[in-house]
Structures are given as C-alpha cells and as structure tokens.
Amino acid sequence: MKKAEKKALVTGDVIIVGVDIAKKKHWARIYNP
C-alpha cells in the first residue's frame, strides 16, 4: 500500500501518532489531516 493510499483511509476526527524508539535518539510524529 502506498503512502497516499494509507492517508486516504484516514477520515473524520482521527489523529495518528508514530513513535520511533532508538538507542540514542527518539522521534515522534503526529499526523492530523
């Protein structure tokens, strides 16, 4: 599934939070269409 197709599945009041936990640095991203 392509990135654009995944984004198209998100409708309404949905917030997606992704967290990448690594050894030295941690990243978080919030996607709210």
Side-chain angles (χ1 to χ4, degrees):
M1 185 178 283
K2 294 181 182 179
K3 194 175 194 178
E5 293 171 332
K6 289 179 184 178
K7 287 182 180 180
L9 294 174
V10 179
T11 57
D13 295 331
V14 176
I15 297 175
I16 299 173
V17 179
V19 179
D20 179 14
I21 301 173
K23 288 185 177 182
K24 294 185 179 184
K25 291 185 180 180
H26 305 297
W27 296 92
R29 181 173 184 174
I30 298 173
Y31 176 74
N32 185 2

